[in-house]
Amino acid sequence: MTPSPETTITSKNITVSYGHITALDNFSVNVPSGIVGLLGPNGAGKSTFIKAVLGLLVPDSGQITIAGKSLTTEGEIIRDMIGYMPEHDCLIDTFTAVELVSYMGQISGMQKKDAMPRCHEMLDFVGIGEERYRPISSYSTGMKQKVKLAQAIVHDPKILFLDEPTNGMDPQGREEMLDLVKKIRASDKSILVSTHILDDLEKVSDHAIIIGEGRLITEGGLEELLAGKESLRVVKVRGQAPDMEKFLKVLGDVYEVRSITPESGQTSIIILNQGDGTPIFRLSKENNVQLRAYYPHKASLEDVFVGAMENKGGDQ
Amino acid sequence: MGIDPIGYKPWTGKLTARHDRILVIAKTLFRTQLRSKWFILLLVLGYIGVFAFPIIFNALMPHTELDGITMSTELGSGLLFMFTVLLASLVCSDSISEDLRSNSFVLYFSRAIKTESYLAGKLGGIFLTLALFCFFPPIIMAIAILGTQSGSDYLPGLGILALTVVAAFVTTIFLIPFSVFISSLTKRKSHAAIGTFMTFMVMTIIGGIFSEFDANWNLVSPGSMLEYFYDWIFGIGIPQSINEGILAAVFAAFIIIPMALVYLRVKQKAEGK
């Protein structure tokens, strides 16, 4: 795996163990710039990977490089470039949002005269209003998530790690959070988002890394992953029941049919077709069914994820 | 979406040196403590009860110079020790336990803050806070006595003033490591505060009981330990029955062992264990 010039994080053969449990097992990946989704079921090793990259835990073996710098020798320089939004509750809840975010700005290396206006700017950005002067203990989960994001970006890091950013948020809050992530991305940052909510990731990320049981299952650009490695096609047809029956039988003899779904007045069929679509048109004409649509099948991220996890199971 | 939805703006300022961030942690802890009404109440009561009257009394009492016996006696008073223990329990109680409770270690250690820097910041903040009671008032007392002396030779008095600075520094730092250690064991600051206070009291009682058999048992009592130390600093000399080697060893143990344990505990937490 050769890192591309745009690679933000490179991990080579990382192994992290907690006692007898191996959380990351020879995990190697190149994380490109842009918004990258880190996907995996609970306990897959997502948070462990982020902690290892942050230098919060020392891997048993392997190497991590961030923006071309070694985590082992230049850990502090790297951490000055990083912002981290943890998954769990971590806010000092006796502080107000203003106190906490400006404090975090200062311990990230900002002077007080810079940290205070920047803190207000970031709280405005994430949508915390006058509540910013109340102790964090009185905040809702959604507001706490926003404060966590504000403290992660207050020092304008080049690389941002978001661990389950929409955790515990209602649908509107999730949309707002994803919108914020997209806005941050616009300022040319690299953002690694760890989540198990696939819909969220599909909306914002450019690249996805799927991890399971501490190992890399698959990775790639989102479009590439969603297009799928197989040539699946959607065929939508309409016709009389006997004709449809004949058509489906003939189609099944020629192609591998993955699914047949009745829709309002028509039938949607997913087939595996490596060649062109001419025979489909011919078959539909011969069987007296009306071909309404024929196009490449685009999988959802959930399909990709489930497929990847199933393949992983098959590999073992 | 908030009162004024805005886009993300980059920040182009320059980062401060990493050691400056230790000072930020210390100052924040200090400011937080100054907002505590219990701390202010204890501080005011302590000023009045422990320092105001002795300062006035010693200044008005005819004296030719500032001497070591006066300062050792004043610093070794039971009331000063009691207030020092109360304030140390209060101030140190939420130093680590607050971060344990809120899981906020990750906020520090995901930044360019090492365990050593974090602890230096916390200890610095506690020192600044306790210094308001343990460090500056004894020095003020010594200056007041020195300033009102009838004798014309100020040189010996200045020497005692310098020793007072050392003794006040020792008073300030002596109880911090153990109190911070107790704070690192619990997520509840009330448990940490009561635990710290009770531990010092129990140690004092144990020292008192067993010193009947061997005077060196007095060294288990933090108050007695400080008294011996003041006597040693001011050149009065410690009782023959006390072994100087044991005194030095117990004093070092009071500081080094709790700090080592706190370091390991915080390091463990920094790694998310």
Side-chain angles (χ1 to χ4, degrees):
Chain A
M1 217 181 294
T2 313
S4 74
E6 289 200 343
T7 295
T8 312
I9 302 163
T10 305
S11 91
K12 274 186 196 161
N13 306 321
I14 295 295
T15 299
V16 177
S17 308
Y18 298 108
H20 297 297
I21 300 161
T22 306
L24 286 178
D25 187 7
N26 259 323
F27 185 75
S28 295
V29 72
N30 291 320
V31 181
S33 58
I35 302 182
V36 178
L38 189 60
L39 285 175
N42 290 333
K46 304 185 298 286
S47 295
T48 303
F49 176 63
I50 289 184
K51 281 182 184 172
V53 169
L54 282 166
L56 291 175
L57 52 85
V58 182
D60 304 334
S61 62
Q63 277 188 324
I64 298 174
T65 314
I66 299 174
K69 294 179 168 60
S70 163
L71 190 63
T72 322
T73 55
E74 296 171 285
E76 290 199 339
I77 297 170
I78 288 173
R79 270 183 271 175
D80 272 343
M81 305 191 305
I82 285 176
Y84 176 46
M85 175 183 177
E87 175 188 1
H88 55 72
D89 260 357
C90 60
L91 303 174
I92 306 167
D93 58 10
T94 48
F95 281 28
T96 65
V98 172
E99 285 167 344
L100 184 100
V101 176
S102 71
Y103 178 42
M104 289 301 137
Q106 287 180 72
I107 63 169
S108 299
M110 299 174 83
Q111 288 183 22
K112 194 178 179 184
K113 66 179 172 61
D114 292 335
M116 194 47 87
R118 174 75 179 171
C119 143
H120 284 287
E121 208 171 84
M122 288 304 100
L123 288 170
D124 283 341
F125 172 67
V126 299
I128 298 287
E130 290 300 307
E131 315 89 294
R132 70 185 65 178
Y133 299 107
R134 281 193 344 228
I136 292 169
S137 56
S138 67
Y139 288 10
S140 66
T141 307
M143 285 161 72
K144 284 181 182 172
Q145 288 295 99
K146 287 176 177 177
V147 175
K148 278 202 267 179
L149 179 64
Q151 66 77 28
I153 57 177
V154 64
H155 57 298
D156 192 34
K158 288 190 178 71
I159 303 165
L160 196 56
F161 295 131
L162 309 178
D163 201 353
E164 304 283 358
T166 56
N167 208 2
M169 298 180 91
D170 59 28
Q172 194 196 336
R174 273 172 56 189
E175 286 300 322
E176 283 178 13
M177 181 59 79
L178 297 174
D179 196 36
L180 291 171
V181 174
K182 278 192 261 185
K183 283 182 182 169
I184 298 167
R185 163 75 176 92
S187 74
D188 204 24
K189 292 206 184 315
S190 295
I191 305 173
L192 184 66
V193 186
S194 158
T195 183
H196 63 271
I197 304 173
L198 304 174
D199 282 353
D200 288 356
L201 211 57
E202 211 169 329
K203 284 175 191 160
V204 294
S205 68
D206 313 314
H207 192 99
I209 294 166
I210 300 178
I211 177 173
E213 291 174 7
R215 292 179 186 177
L216 178 69
I217 307 294
T218 187
E219 64 157 324
L222 207 63
E223 280 188 18
E224 179 194 325
L225 285 175
L226 295 180
K229 288 173 184 144
E230 298 176 311
S231 304
L232 293 177
R233 300 284 184 273
V234 180
V235 180
K236 291 196 174 183
V237 286
R238 179 184 279 180
Q240 299 296 322
D243 297 332
M244 281 296 293
E245 210 170 296
K246 272 198 291 177
F247 174 74
L248 289 173
K249 188 177 180 309
V250 179
L251 195 71
D253 291 342
V254 182
Y255 299 103
E256 186 184 325
V257 176
R258 288 289 173 90
S259 73
I260 300 170
T261 319
E263 288 173 357
S264 49
Q266 61 183 14
T267 304
S268 179
I269 309 151
I270 297 176
I271 60 164
L272 182 65
N273 182 11
Q274 312 255 343
D276 68 8
T278 317
I280 310 287
F281 286 86
R282 187 171 47 78
L283 284 177
S284 63
K285 193 178 174 190
E286 284 173 4
N287 291 285
N288 205 27
V289 296
Q290 192 182 46
L291 185 62
R292 309 277 295 178
Y294 178 73
Y295 57 85
H297 171 70
K298 194 182 175 196
S300 69
L301 198 51
E302 193 170 339
D303 298 331
V304 174
F305 180 71
V306 170
M309 296 313 282
E310 277 171 0
N311 287 341
K312 180 211 73 173
D315 292 345
Q316 284 175 339
Chain B
M1 257 283 292
I3 48 171
D4 181 22
I6 57 165
Y8 182 82
K9 287 180 195 158
W11 176 70
T12 51
K14 205 177 159 200
L15 295 179
T16 56
R18 295 204 179 87
H19 54 78
D20 287 351
R21 305 172 200 184
I22 297 172
L23 206 59
V24 171
I25 299 175
K27 281 197 289 191
T28 304
L29 193 146
F30 179 64
R31 272 200 303 267
T32 308
Q33 290 299 335
L34 288 188
R35 286 192 312 217
S36 158
K37 57 177 185 284
W38 288 108
F39 174 75
I40 298 294
L41 183 70
L42 269 179
L43 197 64
V44 172
L45 285 176
Y47 279 154
I48 296 168
V50 180
F51 292 112
F53 295 120
I55 287 175
I56 295 166
F57 177 76
N58 281 302
L60 295 180
M61 185 103 161
H63 57 283
T64 51
E65 63 178 16
L66 171 66
D67 61 71
I69 295 171
T70 308
M71 284 317 296
S72 179
T73 310
E74 291 300 340
L75 283 168
S77 91
L79 200 57
L80 190 147
F81 177 69
M82 183 61 76
F83 269 94
T84 305
V85 169
L86 279 171
L87 284 166
S89 304
L90 190 71
V91 172
C92 299
S93 63
D94 58 357
S95 56
I96 310 275
S97 63
E98 182 74 19
D99 291 330
L100 271 175
R101 187 184 58 78
S102 55
N103 285 316
S104 50
F105 286 112
V106 74
L107 296 181
Y108 292 96
F109 299 122
S110 61
R111 293 173 158 82
I113 301 272
K114 288 181 177 172
T115 308
E116 297 88 328
S117 312
Y118 168 84
L119 281 176
K122 291 284 180 182
L123 294 174
I126 294 168
F127 179 84
L128 283 175
T129 316
L130 284 183
L132 293 177
F133 184 76
C134 305
F135 188 71
F136 298 114
I139 295 170
I140 293 167
M141 182 189 285
I143 292 170
I145 298 171
L146 185 69
T148 53
Q149 73 176 35
S150 54
S152 56
D153 188 3
Y154 284 89
L155 211 56
L158 285 172
I160 297 297
L161 178 63
L163 293 176
T164 305
V165 172
V166 176
F169 180 77
V170 170
T171 315
T172 314
I173 63 159
F174 184 63
L175 298 180
I176 295 176
F178 202 87
S179 309
V180 172
F181 167 64
I182 301 279
S183 172
S184 74
L185 296 178
T186 173
K187 292 180 177 181
R188 296 187 63 172
K189 70 176 185 180
S190 55
H191 289 182
I194 294 167
T196 305
F197 183 77
M198 290 311 292
T199 306
F200 286 134
M201 288 302 111
V202 168
M203 287 164 99
T204 304
I205 292 167
I206 290 173
I209 293 170
F210 286 95
S211 62
E212 299 289 324
F213 307 107
D214 183 344
N216 284 309
W217 273 98
N218 260 327
L219 298 176
V220 175
S221 159
S224 303
M225 164 85 79
L226 277 174
E227 280 178 46
Y228 293 137
F229 226 82
Y230 299 141
D231 288 348
W232 180 76
I233 288 172
F234 289 109
I236 298 164
I238 56 173
Q240 293 278 324
S241 52
I242 299 295
N243 183 314
E244 283 185 18
I246 298 177
L247 172 66
V250 175
F251 187 83
F254 253 97
I255 308 242
I256 295 165
I257 294 173
M259 273 329 297
L261 293 172
V262 170
Y263 177 81
L264 292 174
R265 175 93 170 131
V266 173
K267 187 115 184 127
Q268 203 182 30
K269 285 288 157 191
E271 290 172 4
K273 289 180 183 166

mmCIF file of all heavy atoms in Angstrom, chain A residues 162-184:
data_model
loop_
_atom_site.group_PDB
_atom_site.id
_atom_site.type_symbol
_atom_site.label_atom_id
_atom_site.label_comp_id
_atom_site.label_asym_id
_atom_site.label_seq_id
_atom_site.Cartn_x
_atom_site.Cartn_y
_atom_site.Cartn_z
ATOM 1 N N LEU A 162 -13.539 12.950 14.336
ATOM 2 C CA LEU A 162 -14.877 13.021 14.926
ATOM 3 C C LEU A 162 -15.336 11.606 15.231
ATOM 4 O O LEU A 162 -15.530 10.802 14.316
ATOM 5 C CB LEU A 162 -15.852 13.706 13.960
ATOM 6 C CG LEU A 162 -15.426 15.060 13.385
ATOM 7 C CD1 LEU A 162 -16.478 15.586 12.415
ATOM 8 C CD2 LEU A 162 -15.179 16.069 14.487
ATOM 9 N N ASP A 163 -15.464 11.317 16.516
ATOM 10 C CA ASP A 163 -15.862 9.970 16.924
ATOM 11 C C ASP A 163 -17.356 9.983 17.237
ATOM 12 O O ASP A 163 -17.775 10.578 18.221
ATOM 13 C CB ASP A 163 -15.033 9.560 18.156
ATOM 14 C CG ASP A 163 -14.992 8.057 18.349
ATOM 15 O OD1 ASP A 163 -15.709 7.355 17.619
ATOM 16 O OD2 ASP A 163 -14.245 7.595 19.218
ATOM 17 N N GLU A 164 -18.127 9.361 16.372
ATOM 18 C CA GLU A 164 -19.596 9.308 16.501
ATOM 19 C C GLU A 164 -20.174 10.711 16.732
ATOM 20 O O GLU A 164 -20.783 10.957 17.777
ATOM 21 C CB GLU A 164 -20.009 8.381 17.644
ATOM 22 C CG GLU A 164 -19.484 6.962 17.547
ATOM 23 C CD GLU A 164 -20.237 6.088 16.555
ATOM 24 O OE1 GLU A 164 -21.216 6.583 15.947
ATOM 25 O OE2 GLU A 164 -19.824 4.938 16.354
ATOM 26 N N PRO A 165 -19.999 11.627 15.795
ATOM 27 C CA PRO A 165 -20.427 13.026 16.039
ATOM 28 C C PRO A 165 -21.932 13.206 16.211
ATOM 29 O O PRO A 165 -22.355 14.184 16.814
ATOM 30 C CB PRO A 165 -19.930 13.774 14.798
ATOM 31 C CG PRO A 165 -19.756 12.740 13.759
ATOM 32 C CD PRO A 165 -19.398 11.472 14.467
ATOM 33 N N THR A 166 -22.725 12.275 15.680
ATOM 34 C CA THR A 166 -24.174 12.454 15.790
ATOM 35 C C THR A 166 -24.776 11.592 16.893
ATOM 36 O O THR A 166 -25.996 11.462 16.974
ATOM 37 C CB THR A 166 -24.867 12.116 14.447
ATOM 38 O OG1 THR A 166 -24.504 10.781 14.090
ATOM 39 C CG2 THR A 166 -24.457 13.061 13.350
ATOM 40 N N ASN A 167 -23.922 11.053 17.724
ATOM 41 C CA ASN A 167 -24.359 10.163 18.802
ATOM 42 C C ASN A 167 -25.414 10.819 19.697
ATOM 43 O O ASN A 167 -25.196 11.905 20.218
ATOM 44 C CB ASN A 167 -23.136 9.803 19.648
ATOM 45 C CG ASN A 167 -23.276 8.462 20.296
ATOM 46 O OD1 ASN A 167 -24.265 7.772 20.093
ATOM 47 N ND2 ASN A 167 -22.287 8.099 21.084
ATOM 48 N N GLY A 168 -26.557 10.169 19.834
ATOM 49 C CA GLY A 168 -27.589 10.649 20.754
ATOM 50 C C GLY A 168 -28.355 11.865 20.268
ATOM 51 O O GLY A 168 -29.097 12.467 21.048
ATOM 52 N N MET A 169 -28.171 12.260 19.008
ATOM 53 C CA MET A 169 -28.862 13.465 18.519
ATOM 54 C C MET A 169 -30.151 13.091 17.794
ATOM 55 O O MET A 169 -30.242 12.012 17.193
ATOM 56 C CB MET A 169 -27.947 14.261 17.583
ATOM 57 C CG MET A 169 -26.693 14.761 18.258
ATOM 58 S SD MET A 169 -25.638 15.694 17.151
ATOM 59 C CE MET A 169 -26.261 17.351 17.410
ATOM 60 N N ASP A 170 -31.123 14.014 17.840
ATOM 61 C CA ASP A 170 -32.376 13.777 17.117
ATOM 62 C C ASP A 170 -32.130 14.028 15.621
ATOM 63 O O ASP A 170 -31.080 14.551 15.234
ATOM 64 C CB ASP A 170 -33.485 14.674 17.688
ATOM 65 C CG ASP A 170 -33.148 16.138 17.605
ATOM 66 O OD1 ASP A 170 -32.376 16.526 16.698
ATOM 67 O OD2 ASP A 170 -33.642 16.921 18.433
ATOM 68 N N PRO A 171 -33.086 13.645 14.744
ATOM 69 C CA PRO A 171 -32.837 13.771 13.294
ATOM 70 C C PRO A 171 -32.439 15.181 12.865
ATOM 71 O O PRO A 171 -31.528 15.356 12.058
ATOM 72 C CB PRO A 171 -34.173 13.356 12.680
ATOM 73 C CG PRO A 171 -34.783 12.443 13.677
ATOM 74 C CD PRO A 171 -34.352 12.956 15.014
ATOM 75 N N GLN A 172 -33.097 16.187 13.434
ATOM 76 C CA GLN A 172 -32.759 17.569 13.045
ATOM 77 C C GLN A 172 -31.335 17.916 13.496
ATOM 78 O O GLN A 172 -30.555 18.522 12.759
ATOM 79 C CB GLN A 172 -33.758 18.542 13.663
ATOM 80 C CG GLN A 172 -33.664 19.923 13.038
ATOM 81 C CD GLN A 172 -34.346 20.980 13.891
ATOM 82 O OE1 GLN A 172 -35.239 20.670 14.678
ATOM 83 N NE2 GLN A 172 -33.930 22.223 13.733
ATOM 84 N N GLY A 173 -31.010 17.500 14.710
ATOM 85 C CA GLY A 173 -29.672 17.743 15.245
ATOM 86 C C GLY A 173 -28.614 17.056 14.411
ATOM 87 O O GLY A 173 -27.542 17.611 14.161
ATOM 88 N N ARG A 174 -28.940 15.835 13.951
ATOM 89 C CA ARG A 174 -27.990 15.095 13.112
ATOM 90 C C ARG A 174 -27.731 15.834 11.811
ATOM 91 O O ARG A 174 -26.591 15.951 11.363
ATOM 92 C CB ARG A 174 -28.555 13.705 12.809
ATOM 93 C CG ARG A 174 -28.202 12.698 13.867
ATOM 94 C CD ARG A 174 -28.922 11.404 13.667
ATOM 95 N NE ARG A 174 -28.700 10.812 12.351
ATOM 96 C CZ ARG A 174 -29.359 9.766 11.883
ATOM 97 N NH1 ARG A 174 -30.276 9.196 12.621
ATOM 98 N NH2 ARG A 174 -29.119 9.286 10.706
ATOM 99 N N GLU A 175 -28.823 16.326 11.224
ATOM 100 C CA GLU A 175 -28.682 17.076 9.972
ATOM 101 C C GLU A 175 -27.797 18.298 10.188
ATOM 102 O O GLU A 175 -26.934 18.613 9.376
ATOM 103 C CB GLU A 175 -30.064 17.530 9.454
ATOM 104 C CG GLU A 175 -30.902 16.412 8.863
ATOM 105 C CD GLU A 175 -30.224 15.746 7.669
ATOM 106 O OE1 GLU A 175 -29.587 16.445 6.863
ATOM 107 O OE2 GLU A 175 -30.324 14.506 7.560
ATOM 108 N N GLU A 176 -28.037 18.996 11.297
ATOM 109 C CA GLU A 176 -27.245 20.199 11.598
ATOM 110 C C GLU A 176 -25.771 19.854 11.772
ATOM 111 O O GLU A 176 -24.897 20.543 11.256
ATOM 112 C CB GLU A 176 -27.765 20.853 12.886
ATOM 113 C CG GLU A 176 -29.049 21.637 12.694
ATOM 114 C CD GLU A 176 -29.571 22.238 13.994
ATOM 115 O OE1 GLU A 176 -28.822 22.265 14.985
ATOM 116 O OE2 GLU A 176 -30.719 22.679 13.995
ATOM 117 N N MET A 177 -25.532 18.763 12.491
ATOM 118 C CA MET A 177 -24.145 18.352 12.733
ATOM 119 C C MET A 177 -23.450 18.000 11.415
ATOM 120 O O MET A 177 -22.315 18.408 11.164
ATOM 121 C CB MET A 177 -24.143 17.166 13.701
ATOM 122 C CG MET A 177 -22.787 16.636 14.074
ATOM 123 S SD MET A 177 -21.691 17.821 14.855
ATOM 124 C CE MET A 177 -22.312 17.845 16.520
ATOM 125 N N LEU A 178 -24.149 17.267 10.548
ATOM 126 C CA LEU A 178 -23.553 16.881 9.268
ATOM 127 C C LEU A 178 -23.303 18.100 8.390
ATOM 128 O O LEU A 178 -22.295 18.183 7.681
ATOM 129 C CB LEU A 178 -24.455 15.878 8.533
ATOM 130 C CG LEU A 178 -24.645 14.537 9.265
ATOM 131 C CD1 LEU A 178 -25.655 13.673 8.537
ATOM 132 C CD2 LEU A 178 -23.329 13.799 9.408
ATOM 133 N N ASP A 179 -24.208 19.067 8.509
ATOM 134 C CA ASP A 179 -24.049 20.311 7.769
ATOM 135 C C ASP A 179 -22.792 21.050 8.246
ATOM 136 O O ASP A 179 -22.027 21.593 7.442
ATOM 137 C CB ASP A 179 -25.313 21.163 8.008
ATOM 138 C CG ASP A 179 -25.426 22.275 7.002
ATOM 139 O OD1 ASP A 179 -25.049 22.042 5.837
ATOM 140 O OD2 ASP A 179 -25.866 23.374 7.388
ATOM 141 N N LEU A 180 -22.580 21.030 9.558
ATOM 142 C CA LEU A 180 -21.389 21.683 10.130
ATOM 143 C C LEU A 180 -20.116 20.994 9.633
ATOM 144 O O LEU A 180 -19.139 21.657 9.273
ATOM 145 C CB LEU A 180 -21.427 21.627 11.666
ATOM 146 C CG LEU A 180 -22.494 22.478 12.358
ATOM 147 C CD1 LEU A 180 -22.551 22.152 13.849
ATOM 148 C CD2 LEU A 180 -22.225 23.957 12.159
ATOM 149 N N VAL A 181 -20.164 19.668 9.602
ATOM 150 C CA VAL A 181 -18.984 18.914 9.144
ATOM 151 C C VAL A 181 -18.664 19.286 7.697
ATOM 152 O O VAL A 181 -17.503 19.506 7.340
ATOM 153 C CB VAL A 181 -19.222 17.390 9.295
ATOM 154 C CG1 VAL A 181 -18.072 16.594 8.692
ATOM 155 C CG2 VAL A 181 -19.398 17.015 10.762
ATOM 156 N N LYS A 182 -19.718 19.396 6.880
ATOM 157 C CA LYS A 182 -19.502 19.763 5.475
ATOM 158 C C LYS A 182 -18.908 21.172 5.364
ATOM 159 O O LYS A 182 -18.038 21.435 4.550
ATOM 160 C CB LYS A 182 -20.825 19.687 4.700
ATOM 161 C CG LYS A 182 -21.156 18.266 4.273
ATOM 162 C CD LYS A 182 -22.280 18.243 3.274
ATOM 163 C CE LYS A 182 -23.584 17.924 3.976
ATOM 164 N NZ LYS A 182 -24.727 17.771 3.100
ATOM 165 N N LYS A 183 -19.387 22.070 6.220
ATOM 166 C CA LYS A 183 -18.861 23.447 6.194
ATOM 167 C C LYS A 183 -17.387 23.481 6.605
ATOM 168 O O LYS A 183 -16.601 24.243 6.056
ATOM 169 C CB LYS A 183 -19.667 24.336 7.144
ATOM 170 C CG LYS A 183 -21.012 24.761 6.595
ATOM 171 C CD LYS A 183 -21.692 25.659 7.600
ATOM 172 C CE LYS A 183 -23.067 26.083 7.130
ATOM 173 N NZ LYS A 183 -23.827 26.730 8.202
ATOM 174 N N ILE A 184 -17.038 22.665 7.595
ATOM 175 C CA ILE A 184 -15.630 22.631 8.040
ATOM 176 C C ILE A 184 -14.764 22.076 6.915
ATOM 177 O O ILE A 184 -13.665 22.561 6.649
ATOM 178 C CB ILE A 184 -15.474 21.767 9.319
ATOM 179 C CG1 ILE A 184 -16.271 22.368 10.474
ATOM 180 C CG2 ILE A 184 -14.009 21.663 9.727
ATOM 181 C CD1 ILE A 184 -16.429 21.451 11.678
#
